Amino acid sequence: MNAFVGTGVALITPFKSDLSVDLEALERLVEYQINNGVDYLVVLGTTAEYATLSWEEKQQVIKCVVAKNNKRLPLVLGVGGNNTSLLVNSLKTEDLSGFDAILSVSPYYSKPSQEGIFQHFKAVAEASPLPVILYNVPGRTGSNMFPETVLRITEACNNVIGIKEAAGDLVQAMQLISLLPKDFLVISGDDMIALAITLAGGAGVISVIGQACPKKFSEMIRLGIAGNSKEAYQLHYKIAPAILLAFAEGNPVGIKSFLAQQKICKPHVRLPLVNATESLQKNIATYISNF
């Protein structure tokens, strides 16, 4: 589980001008993370525009990242959905070689009860050949996974090793840290409070903006894990404006604009998302020039 302590990044899926998957840009992105101190990579999460990729494209992305990474960093695969039986079948039949864990989002749209969330993840954990990291993101799923439900899941499923907590609620994150076993990973899913969660006893972050500034963001989280709050917050306040810009027009619109201006990929997203406005692009360019 130490493989997932520190900074993980939720990789985007770069697109060419014709909106086909840009595998060369994806390779550049992976190499950029590895060379700048990121601890692990998350593939096909929300930031990857998972919902707009075909099955064939998802396989292309998986093969590309696994090959380029070449076992240098631990890899986590996003595997989630609100059709439990379909998800369970996928976990039992698909090739997950090359990955060290799965990240599974709480069922979206259906708004299940806490009992429904528990039964869903119990089925997922029983089907998964890999360790499971839960993903709580109420702003996208429409329902919150309570700390008591997370505890219940971990007590029933010994391969559930952590949670990406993205409720944006520091109090709830602290409740998780105090309630769950000490070796359970409470990973921030919110860049703005990632340091605070880490200093409170969390295991770090799965970051969006971290892939645009991996060296400084990873160093901030390492300082947080070491308990060096003064130096860590000095970095946080330098990075904080970038977080606001990255999410100003939605994710991954902002982060793709950051990466495009760093010549790593093009800024294109697929509908229903649209590219960053000219105003946001200018603000990002100004931030980068002063960073």
Side-chain angles (χ1 to χ4, degrees), residues 1 26 46 48 86 131 133 203 282 286:
M1 288 190 291
L26 183 56
T46 304
L86 186 64
I133 300 172
K282 287 181 179 178
T286 299

Side-chain angles (χ1 to χ4, degrees), residues 95-221:
D95 181 11
L96 300 178
S97 60
F99 289 90
D100 301 280
I102 65 166
L103 176 69
S104 194
V105 69
S106 186
Y108 43 82
Y109 189 75
S110 302
K111 291 189 175 182
S113 65
Q114 296 301 300
E115 179 65 24
I117 292 172
F118 169 76
Q119 294 295 344
H120 171 85
F121 279 118
K122 184 171 182 289
V124 167
E126 289 173 350
S128 177
L130 295 176
V132 178
I133 300 172
L134 311 175
Y135 181 14
N136 184 40
V137 56
R140 289 187 180 272
T141 64
S143 64
N144 185 26
M145 183 163 29
F146 297 160
E148 294 79 9
T149 302
V150 178
L151 177 61
R152 187 181 172 202
I153 293 168
T154 62
E155 289 174 340
C157 312
N158 59 16
N159 61 335
V160 174
I161 63 169
I163 182 169
K164 178 183 177 183
E165 175 54 39
D169 184 341
L170 183 56
V171 172
Q172 179 162 295
M174 293 173 72
Q175 288 174 334
L176 284 165
I177 293 166
S178 65
L179 188 63
L180 275 295
K182 290 184 178 180
D183 61 349
F184 186 83
L185 306 173
V186 178
I187 302 166
S188 176
D190 186 314
D191 284 339
M192 191 61 82
I193 59 174
L195 177 57
I197 289 175
T198 302
L199 287 166
V205 63
I206 294 176
S207 175
V208 174
I209 194 61
Q211 65 195 298
C213 49
K215 190 171 185 178
K216 285 185 169 62
F217 202 99
S218 298
E219 179 62 17
M220 178 188 76
I221 295 299

